[in-house]
Amino acid sequence: MRVLLVEDDPSVAGGVIDGLGVGFTVTHVQSGAAALNQNLDEIDVLLLDLGLPDMDGTDVCREIRKTSQKPIIVVSARGDEIDRVLSLEMGADDYLVKPFGMRELVARIRAVMRRTGSGPAEPETASDALREIHGLTVDTRTQRVELNGDEIHLTPKEFELVVYLSDDPGAVYRRQDILHDVWQTTWYGTSKTLDAHIAAIRKKLGAASWIESVRGVGFRFGGPA
């Protein structure tokens, strides 16, 4: 995946580049002007800091949106609601506050790519569609789930949830992100629908450890106890 990183702090940029690692090709620029001079057809997603030396990141976002719909994730130390709202209104697809974990950044990138339908349009092969985690086989092509060779019968939404969470085993997914990406909704109240589906999946897989609760955050896909 090709990433354009717009970040003026070399230490932060270095950490992101090292943290993304295999599977990501990162182009790094340190100013808004340099970002606007890039050929956006050659990237898949843009990571944008707000506090740039020559212009505010929200202005960069607004200018890019005049000609391109490439996914933009704002990565900033500004955590105030007004900064989040303004960035989203200027066209950003997501907002991540520094400091952050690399697993969360990768999960956000993947979530934005799924929501926007962006990225390289490569046909899914049988091997791409198949994932195996601790004896659990998830086949997105046939929409079948098997545990140690026995088929597990899931509802369509339960299957979507298993596919979503098992995309990066061990990574923590926030409740709000799961509801947004799996249910295509923004949910600010209780999330009993999500909890009910998680409980049903755990029961069918035979152990709560398959989907671990992370208190105050969300869930991670684990494995058998």
Side-chain angles (χ1 to χ4, degrees), residues 157-171:
K157 190 58 70 177
E158 289 168 357
F159 181 80
E160 283 185 59
L161 192 50
V162 167
V163 170
Y164 183 84
L165 293 174
S166 66
D167 186 53
D168 189 7

Side-chain angles (χ1 to χ4, degrees), residues 20 28 57 77 86 103-104 146 175 199 221:
L20 289 178
H28 173 221
L86 184 58
R103 282 187 173 182
E104 181 178 9
E146 294 183 355
R175 285 176 173 271
F221 201 84

Side-chain angles (χ1 to χ4, degrees), residues 6 8 30-37 50-57 59-60:
V6 188
D8 67 320
Q30 295 181 293
S31 68
L36 295 175
N37 285 330
L50 294 183
L52 300 172
D54 58 340
M55 60 196 302
D56 194 85
D59 294 324
V60 176

